[in-house]
Amino acid sequence: MSILEGKENLKASVVEISDCSPVYPNEWKGLASPPKKLYALGDLSLLGMRKLTVVGSRRTPVTALKLGTEIVQELTSSIAIVTGAADGGDSAAIEGALEKGRVICLLAGGFSALPQGNLALLERVAKRGLILSECEFDEPIRVYSYERRNELLAALGEGTFVLGAGEKSGALITAKYAQKLGKLIFALPYPPNSAVGAGCNRLIKDGGRLVENAQDIALGLGITLTKREKNAELSADEEKLYEILREGEAHATELSQKTGIPVFKLRAIVSSLEMKGLAVALGGNRYTAI
């Protein structure tokens, strides 16, 4: 049975602001209505690290999710990641941060309201990172729960990084609270007229920092990234295909024409690039580089 299933199996720590506990987040103490009590499962020491909030809508495109995961993976050499527990941007942030276990998931309700579709991923967070809630175990998610959670997310990080957001995405609510607190806003750029990225583009227009790689965020926060080991060397065909993919998304037939690699062989090479974190399939036999 999962350690997240059933109140009787949940061995959560309880942290109260009245305790003057050294692990209670200083970032929340200045809020008008800070959480009076926290239920925590996992590594409480993460609350003492420098932190970056990462959010993104459930409709964030797969290319943005892949890039977000890669960026977060690099950033966790120097900083902990704060996010929610939903599909989409939250899950991408969790996946990127789990390698080093530096991830804090903040719930909108009690532990009984965990999103069942993400239970396996959250189980890994409980073992390697930290899950937090200000709610009693059986407290359900209400209409106002997400906005409250988004306010706390924004306050906990030194800045907020948005992977994907439409015009009315909840990720923009987190960014709004971060802006009110005078924190840095980072966002991935999207093509003009992109419905799933319109919110990100607006954040950039309004002064948010455009992010293409982890270094863009590291510079903004004044942190130094630890270099990761490079991917295994590419074969001649992989190198040739990767250079074409970096020019933008393309259909398998087009890639075959440009590289001279037969389509039947091309798919195996793309799969190899995907495993090395350098490419992603978009569906419909279309691919792009990460």
Side-chain angles (χ1 to χ4, degrees), residues 179-227:
Q179 287 170 324
K180 284 184 177 179
L181 292 167
K183 304 201 176 195
L184 290 173
I185 303 296
F186 304 92
L188 293 181
Y190 281 76
N193 303 317
S194 168
V196 293
C200 283
N201 288 347
R202 179 152 55 85
L203 288 173
I204 294 169
K205 286 180 182 179
D206 292 342
R209 300 195 179 201
L210 186 152
V211 173
E212 294 179 306
N213 50 55
Q215 193 63 33
D216 290 333
I217 296 176
L219 288 172
L221 297 177
I223 61 177
T224 302
L225 299 180
T226 301
K227 290 184 179 180

Side-chain angles (χ1 to χ4, degrees), residues 77-208:
S77 65
S78 305
I79 199 166
I81 300 301
V82 182
T83 189
D87 292 331
D90 293 358
S91 295
I94 293 169
E95 288 285 5
L98 268 175
E99 181 181 327
K100 289 187 170 62
R102 292 175 176 171
V103 57
I104 301 168
C105 287
L106 184 61
L107 305 180
F111 277 86
S112 65
L114 285 165
Q116 294 301 300
N118 254 8
L119 205 56
L121 187 59
L122 293 172
E123 177 93 13
R124 292 164 61 198
V125 176
K127 291 176 179 176
R128 300 207 59 194
L130 177 65
I131 302 179
L132 283 181
S133 176
E134 65 169 333
C135 307
E136 297 283 349
F137 179 88
D138 293 318
E139 186 170 332
I141 296 174
R142 298 182 170 87
V143 175
Y144 57 81
S145 299
Y146 288 112
E147 179 142 0
R148 167 64 172 172
R149 191 276 316 273
N150 290 343
E151 177 187 12
L152 295 177
L153 278 176
L156 198 53
E158 292 183 30
T160 292
F161 175 30
V162 184
L163 302 182
E167 284 288 359
K168 297 182 179 180
S169 169
L172 294 182
I173 297 174
T174 306
K176 175 192 72 176
Y177 280 113
Q179 287 170 324
K180 284 184 177 179
L181 292 167
K183 304 201 176 195
L184 290 173
I185 303 296
F186 304 92
L188 293 181
Y190 281 76
N193 303 317
S194 168
V196 293
C200 283
N201 288 347
R202 179 152 55 85
L203 288 173
I204 294 169
K205 286 180 182 179
D206 292 342

Side-chain angles (χ1 to χ4, degrees), residues 17 24-25 28-37 134 148 152:
I17 192 170
Y24 188 93
W28 284 345
K29 291 179 180 177
L31 294 177
S33 179
K36 292 183 172 57
K37 184 182 291 187
E134 65 169 333
R148 167 64 172 172
L152 295 177

Side-chain angles (χ1 to χ4, degrees), residues 248-267:
E249 67 175 77
H251 191 274
T253 305
E254 180 185 354
L255 292 170
S256 177
Q257 292 172 345
K258 288 184 175 180
T259 61
I261 301 171
V263 172
F264 72 88
K265 185 178 179 183
L266 187 92
R267 292 195 176 95

